[in-house]
Amino acid sequence: YDTFEALERKKRMIELCNVTKRYGATEAVSGLSFFAPEGQIVGLLGQNGAGKTTTLNMLTGYFPPTSGSVRVNGMDMLQQPRECKRCIGYLPERPPLYDEMTVTAYLTFVCQLKEVRREAIEKHIGQIMDTCGLKEVAQRRVGTLSKGYRQRVGVAQALCGNPPVLVLDEPTVGLDPRQVKEIRELIRQLGKEHTVIFSSHLLPEIQQLCDRVVILHKGKLIREAAMAELTGGDGETIRLRATVAMKERLLLPALNSLECVRRVKVLPTPDADYTELEMECLRETGRGRAQAQLFRLLAGLDAPLMQLTVVKDTLE
């Protein structure tokens, strides 16, 4: 994943700087700062009431912050709202659909609102329908569509005008497992050409799709990090789980003698002749990678290694 220095060199498509939003005496978002660089999918996480939707509404210019600034593609949302909004495609939690329109008529209407050139609309809509898998329902009324297709139409309207930034609020809420998989794959494809920021309650979904995550709690930022950093996919240490055909009392002193081993935890096992354990190790030292050091040690002890896996945390 990108280092912080690499992210700094990328263009900041979305940037919130010390943003606060108050509703009377209630502070929904407090001093929030984060950015989303060009070409990344960023997940916005938090419990109900954490401030996710309020943050997305400020980011899209739906309503202004009480204080602080929101920048999109280098422009200030309050000073250049029209230009900023041209850069954003927004799918709110409830897609803004007109049930009496056909899919084609609705997307044509959205293109007109977004001031797409009249002569380019038909081709543009055709490309969007291909991307979102809507060709077969192009002439059906939106009100007759399934929940999954309605969500696809919602994504399609966000793509009208070809904005470089996509903001998606709970894009898979209420969908069945097959529909979730389809929308998830669509978001993954869109992330190749757009900067995408989206909120979701489905942590496996965030883990599969996002390059970075922003975690909110009671309106405040509590963590912003690369996905690999949160789930243990990179860094100086590694966790290994092993099953070794050797008694615990003989194995543990040898393991603790390894240069790479920081901590060993013995796990329950029904066979006293086997030891199952989890080790926190330095990924690499002067004597090589942790796995190689472990193999050499066990070979010298004539202790068969029955299983060895790298343990990664889930986002949950």
Side-chain angles (χ1 to χ4, degrees), residues 81-153:
R82 193 178 186 86
E83 291 79 1
C84 286
K85 291 175 184 180
R86 285 184 188 278
C87 296
I88 296 174
Y90 183 32
L91 173 64
E93 187 174 350
R94 295 180 180 178
L97 306 179
Y98 289 93
D99 288 349
E100 68 278 9
M101 288 183 165
T102 65
V103 173
T104 299
Y106 171 67
L107 293 180
T108 300
F109 172 61
V110 175
C111 284
Q112 292 169 346
L113 289 179
K114 294 190 175 184
E115 299 178 342
V116 177
R117 288 186 297 109
R118 184 182 298 274
E119 62 273 16
I121 288 179
E122 184 176 351
K123 181 179 179 181
H124 184 49
I125 290 176
Q127 292 170 340
I128 291 172
M129 285 190 177
D130 282 338
T131 299
C132 296
L134 290 171
K135 283 284 189 181
E136 63 186 65
V137 297
Q139 299 307 319
R140 287 180 55 183
R141 287 194 303 111
V142 173
T144 67
L145 300 179
S146 68
K147 174 74 172 177
Y149 272 119
R150 288 172 66 85
Q151 203 73 352
R152 285 175 177 270
V153 176

Side-chain angles (χ1 to χ4, degrees), residues 248-278:
E248 177 185 329
R249 61 182 176 82
L250 300 174
L251 180 61
L252 288 187
L255 287 177
N256 285 316
S257 71
L258 283 177
E259 181 183 1
C260 65
V261 172
R262 283 185 167 183
R263 193 174 293 106
V264 179
K265 178 183 179 183
V266 178
L267 304 174
T269 177
D271 193 333
D273 292 328
Y274 286 78
T275 303
E276 187 167 347
L277 43 86
E278 191 172 292

Side-chain angles (χ1 to χ4, degrees), residues 272-312:
D273 292 328
Y274 286 78
T275 303
E276 187 167 347
L277 43 86
E278 191 172 292
M279 296 172 288
E280 181 182 333
C281 305
L282 292 171
R283 189 177 292 273
E284 190 161 356
T285 68
R287 295 186 180 182
R289 297 183 64 186
Q291 292 96 321
Q293 293 184 50
L294 180 62
F295 275 122
R296 286 195 295 268
L297 172 72
L298 296 178
L301 294 173
D302 192 25
L305 179 63
M306 311 306 293
Q307 173 183 286
L308 179 66
T309 57
V310 177
V311 180
K312 292 186 178 182

